[in-house]
Amino acid sequence: MTRIAIFASGSGSNAQNIAEYFADKNEFSISLILANKPDAYVLNRAKNLNIPSFVFTNKEFQTSEIVINKLKEHKIDFIVLAGFLLKVPSNLINAFNNKIVNIHPALLPNYGGKGMYGMNVHNSVIENKETESGITIHYVNENYDEGQIIFQAKTLITPNDDAESLASKIHILEYKYFPEIIEGAIRG
Ligand code: GRF
């Protein structure tokens, strides 16, 4: 049984989608959902999904073992970042070497790095009149959005698109591909 933890900072629609995908796969368990904000809606989703959750502060995450200890307590084998906005500290990277994946709502290496999250990404893509965007799923290292890329999917951008319509197109790709790419990464 592979026990998976999901980290999120906000709504958690991807976290819910992933939990629903794995719900009937008895080789996997979404065993813990973690957030760095006590008011993150993902915590409501965890409660509704009957998945244990854990909230931590940015300071605790960066300077203590409290999160790693919680992951060990739940016997976590694999970590998924799904809308998680903090840089992962090296103690966690080292404890879960090549076992942390992230999804970014653009075609890395473009439109990545510090500050490039959520609507900031889509606004930049539209402002630059890109004709396509997409998602990138990658392993996580010490730097924002720089780990080995596992998968990318693209969507075309039409002149009628704005940041909001692009965000919707990106979410469709995320919900379609992220769970199966996670499963593939775990199976190796
Ligand atoms: C998604 O667009 C994801 O690509 C990015 O943050 C957003 C999270 O959305 N990393 P949600 O919290 O899963 O709804």
Side-chain angles (χ1 to χ4, degrees):
M1 161 87 76
T2 301
R3 297 170 63 83
I4 302 166
I6 303 176
F7 285 66
S9 298
S11 167
S13 68
N14 275 282
Q16 176 156 342
N17 183 56
I18 293 162
E20 290 168 351
Y21 175 90
F22 284 104
D24 61 352
K25 294 177 183 287
N26 53 24
E27 303 159 80
F28 303 89
S29 162
I30 305 298
S31 304
L32 186 62
I33 289 180
L34 303 96
N36 61 303
K37 293 180 181 169
D39 60 347
Y41 190 72
V42 67
L43 297 168
N44 301 58
R45 297 180 192 268
K47 190 169 178 215
N48 295 336
L49 291 161
N50 294 315
I51 297 173
S53 60
F54 180 65
V55 183
F56 54 87
T57 67
N58 297 8
K59 187 171 188 309
E60 285 170 330
F61 190 51
Q62 299 300 342
T63 64
S64 80
E65 300 281 313
I66 190 171
V67 171
I68 289 186
N69 292 340
K70 182 58 71 173
L71 293 167
K72 287 177 180 169
E73 184 187 313
H74 284 262
K75 299 181 174 51
I76 298 301
D77 304 295
F78 197 87
I79 293 173
V80 173
L81 309 184
F84 184 65
L85 301 183
L86 301 183
K87 188 185 290 188
V88 179
S90 48
N91 64 342
L92 188 54
I93 299 277
N94 296 334
F96 288 86
N97 188 31
N98 255 349
K99 294 199 183 298
I100 309 177
V101 297
N102 178 49
I103 189 165
H104 184 74
L107 296 171
L108 294 176
N110 299 328
Y111 301 102
K114 189 168 172 55
M116 289 306 279
Y117 57 84
M119 291 309 294
N120 296 353
V121 175
H122 308 312
N123 286 324
S124 297
V125 167
I126 294 294
E127 279 160 25
N128 290 339
K129 301 192 184 331
E130 299 287 354
T131 56
E132 64 179 23
S133 188
I135 60 169
T136 302
I137 298 167
H138 62 94
Y139 286 108
V140 172
N141 66 19
E142 282 81 0
N143 302 314
Y144 281 115
D145 303 326
E146 286 189 5
Q148 178 199 340
I149 291 176
I150 303 170
F151 174 81
Q152 292 188 306
K154 294 182 180 179
T155 184
L156 293 180
I157 300 174
T158 70
N160 301 327
D161 275 315
D162 58 14
E164 285 68 27
S165 61
L166 174 56
S168 300
K169 289 181 174 181
I170 295 294
H171 270 309
I172 290 168
L173 293 178
E174 294 171 340
Y175 302 153
K176 178 178 180 182
Y177 291 111
F178 200 11
E180 63 190 57
I181 299 301
I182 292 166
E183 182 176 6
I186 293 171
R187 291 185 185 279

